[in-house]
Amino acid sequence: MIFVNLPVTDVEAAKAFYAGLGFEQDLQFSDAETASFMIEENIVAMVMTREKFTGFLPAGASAGDPAQQVSVMNALSAASREECDDLLAKALAHGGRRFSDPQDHGFMYGTSFADPSGNVWEAVWMDPSALEG
Protein backbone atom coordinates (compact mmCIF):
# COMPACT_ATOMS: atom_id res chain seq x y z
CA MET A 1 0.00 0.00 0.00
CA ILE A 2 0.99 3.60 -0.50
CA PHE A 3 0.14 6.22 2.14
CA VAL A 4 0.61 9.79 0.94
CA ASN A 5 0.92 12.04 4.00
CA LEU A 6 0.08 15.67 3.32
CA PRO A 7 0.32 18.74 5.56
CA VAL A 8 -2.73 20.99 5.22
CA THR A 9 -3.64 24.36 6.65
CA ASP A 10 -7.34 23.54 7.11
CA VAL A 11 -8.45 19.94 7.70
CA GLU A 12 -12.13 20.75 7.11
CA ALA A 13 -11.34 22.35 3.73
CA ALA A 14 -9.16 19.33 2.87
CA LYS A 15 -12.00 16.96 3.81
CA ALA A 16 -14.42 18.81 1.52
CA PHE A 17 -11.84 18.88 -1.28
CA TYR A 18 -10.88 15.20 -1.22
CA ALA A 19 -14.49 14.05 -0.73
CA GLY A 20 -15.38 16.29 -3.69
CA LEU A 21 -12.85 14.40 -5.80
CA GLY A 22 -14.84 11.26 -5.04
CA PHE A 23 -12.41 9.75 -2.54
CA GLU A 24 -13.97 7.90 0.38
CA GLN A 25 -13.03 9.07 3.86
CA ASP A 26 -12.00 6.32 6.28
CA LEU A 27 -13.46 7.54 9.57
CA GLN A 28 -11.49 4.95 11.55
CA PHE A 29 -8.30 6.87 10.75
CA SER A 30 -9.71 10.40 10.90
CA ASP A 31 -10.06 12.87 13.75
CA ALA A 32 -10.03 16.65 14.28
CA GLU A 33 -6.41 16.89 13.05
CA THR A 34 -6.30 14.10 10.45
CA ALA A 35 -8.44 12.73 7.63
CA SER A 36 -7.77 9.51 5.76
CA PHE A 37 -9.06 9.07 2.19
CA MET A 38 -9.11 5.88 0.12
CA ILE A 39 -8.07 6.89 -3.38
CA GLU A 40 -7.90 3.32 -4.64
CA GLU A 41 -7.67 -0.06 -2.93
CA ASN A 42 -3.96 0.35 -2.18
CA ILE A 43 -3.57 4.14 -2.18
CA VAL A 44 -4.48 6.28 0.82
CA ALA A 45 -4.07 10.03 1.27
CA MET A 46 -3.63 11.16 4.87
CA VAL A 47 -4.20 14.88 5.28
CA MET A 48 -3.21 16.38 8.61
CA THR A 49 -2.60 19.70 10.24
CA ARG A 50 0.93 21.00 9.87
CA GLU A 51 1.41 20.51 13.63
CA LYS A 52 0.33 16.86 13.47
CA PHE A 53 2.44 16.30 10.33
CA THR A 54 5.51 17.81 12.03
CA GLY A 55 5.00 15.40 14.94
CA PHE A 56 5.99 12.54 12.61
CA LEU A 57 9.30 14.20 11.71
CA PRO A 58 12.56 13.72 13.61
CA ALA A 59 13.60 16.44 16.06
CA GLY A 60 14.90 19.50 14.27
CA ALA A 61 13.17 18.70 10.95
CA SER A 62 10.51 21.04 9.67
CA ALA A 63 7.65 20.57 7.26
CA GLY A 64 7.77 22.56 4.06
CA ASP A 65 4.85 24.73 3.01
CA PRO A 66 3.34 23.28 -0.18
CA ALA A 67 1.75 26.66 -0.94
CA GLN A 68 5.27 28.14 -1.26
CA GLN A 69 7.38 25.35 -2.77
CA VAL A 70 6.55 22.15 -4.63
CA SER A 71 8.45 19.21 -3.24
CA VAL A 72 6.33 16.39 -4.66
CA MET A 73 3.76 15.88 -7.41
CA ASN A 74 1.49 12.90 -6.83
CA ALA A 75 0.35 11.34 -10.11
CA LEU A 76 -2.73 9.17 -10.44
CA SER A 77 -3.36 6.96 -13.45
CA ALA A 78 -6.57 7.71 -15.32
CA ALA A 79 -8.52 5.43 -17.65
CA SER A 80 -9.08 8.16 -20.23
CA ARG A 81 -8.48 11.79 -21.17
CA GLU A 82 -12.01 12.50 -20.00
CA GLU A 83 -11.23 11.09 -16.56
CA CYS A 84 -8.23 13.46 -16.33
CA ASP A 85 -10.43 16.42 -17.24
CA ASP A 86 -13.18 15.26 -14.87
CA LEU A 87 -10.81 15.04 -11.91
CA LEU A 88 -9.48 18.52 -12.70
CA ALA A 89 -13.05 19.89 -12.90
CA LYS A 90 -13.89 18.32 -9.53
CA ALA A 91 -10.72 19.78 -8.01
CA LEU A 92 -11.56 23.27 -9.26
CA ALA A 93 -15.16 22.97 -8.05
CA HIS A 94 -14.08 21.96 -4.53
CA GLY A 95 -11.49 24.58 -3.65
CA GLY A 96 -8.46 23.44 -5.63
CA ARG A 97 -6.61 25.42 -8.24
CA ARG A 98 -5.13 24.57 -11.63
CA PHE A 99 -1.42 23.85 -11.22
CA SER A 100 -0.42 23.92 -14.89
CA ASP A 101 -2.05 23.70 -18.30
CA PRO A 102 -3.04 20.23 -19.54
CA GLN A 103 -0.23 18.44 -21.34
CA ASP A 104 -1.12 16.57 -24.52
CA HIS A 105 1.56 14.40 -26.10
CA GLY A 106 -0.85 12.40 -28.26
CA PHE A 107 -0.17 9.03 -26.61
CA MET A 108 -0.15 10.63 -23.15
CA TYR A 109 -2.39 13.30 -21.62
CA GLY A 110 -2.43 14.83 -18.19
CA THR A 111 -3.92 17.53 -16.02
CA SER A 112 -2.67 18.90 -12.74
CA PHE A 113 -4.11 20.74 -9.78
CA ALA A 114 -3.26 21.74 -6.23
CA ASP A 115 -5.45 21.15 -3.20
CA PRO A 116 -6.45 24.15 -1.04
CA SER A 117 -3.14 23.89 0.87
CA GLY A 118 -0.99 23.71 -2.28
CA ASN A 119 -0.30 19.94 -2.45
CA VAL A 120 0.03 19.03 -6.15
CA TRP A 121 -1.75 16.17 -7.91
CA GLU A 122 -1.72 15.02 -11.52
CA ALA A 123 -4.13 12.81 -13.45
CA VAL A 124 -2.36 11.03 -16.30
CA TRP A 125 -3.70 8.88 -19.15
CA MET A 126 -1.49 6.86 -21.46
CA ASP A 127 -2.72 5.17 -24.64
CA PRO A 128 -2.38 1.42 -23.93
CA SER A 129 -1.30 0.74 -27.53
CA ALA A 130 1.66 3.09 -27.07
CA LEU A 131 2.81 0.98 -24.12
CA GLU A 132 2.94 -2.16 -26.26
CA GLY A 133 6.05 -0.90 -27.95
Side-chain angles (χ1 to χ4, degrees):
M1 290 187 71
I2 297 173
F3 293 89
V4 179
N5 298 294
L6 303 169
V8 298
T9 53
D10 182 338
V11 172
E12 292 304 315
K15 286 180 184 178
F17 177 79
Y18 287 98
L21 294 181
F23 302 152
E24 183 179 341
Q25 185 177 355
D26 183 344
L27 297 176
Q28 182 179 1
F29 298 104
S30 300
D31 58 29
E33 297 178 299
T34 308
S36 173
F37 286 91
M38 295 296 299
I39 295 174
E40 295 208 1
E41 182 180 354
N42 291 311
I43 303 173
V44 177
M46 296 288 294
V47 297
M48 58 190 82
T49 62
R50 292 179 56 75
E51 295 79 16
K52 180 100 173 194
F53 184 89
T54 302
F56 289 98
L57 303 177
S62 62
D65 183 351
Q68 300 298 317
Q69 294 180 312
V70 177
S71 58
V72 65
M73 293 190 302
N74 302 292
L76 298 173
S77 179
S80 66
R81 292 169 176 262
E82 294 77 21
E83 186 177 350
C84 293
D85 291 336
D86 183 53
L87 195 58
L88 174 62
K90 288 177 182 177
L92 298 177
H94 291 90
R97 65 175 173 79
R98 182 183 304 270
F99 181 70
S100 65
D101 291 333
Q103 296 186 21
D104 189 346
H105 301 284
F107 70 95
M108 183 172 72
Y109 177 79
T111 59
S112 61
F113 54 88
D115 73 7
S117 295
N119 295 295
V120 177
W121 290 88
E122 296 177 309
V124 180
W125 168 82
M126 291 186 71
D127 182 347
S129 65
L131 299 175
E132 295 171 6

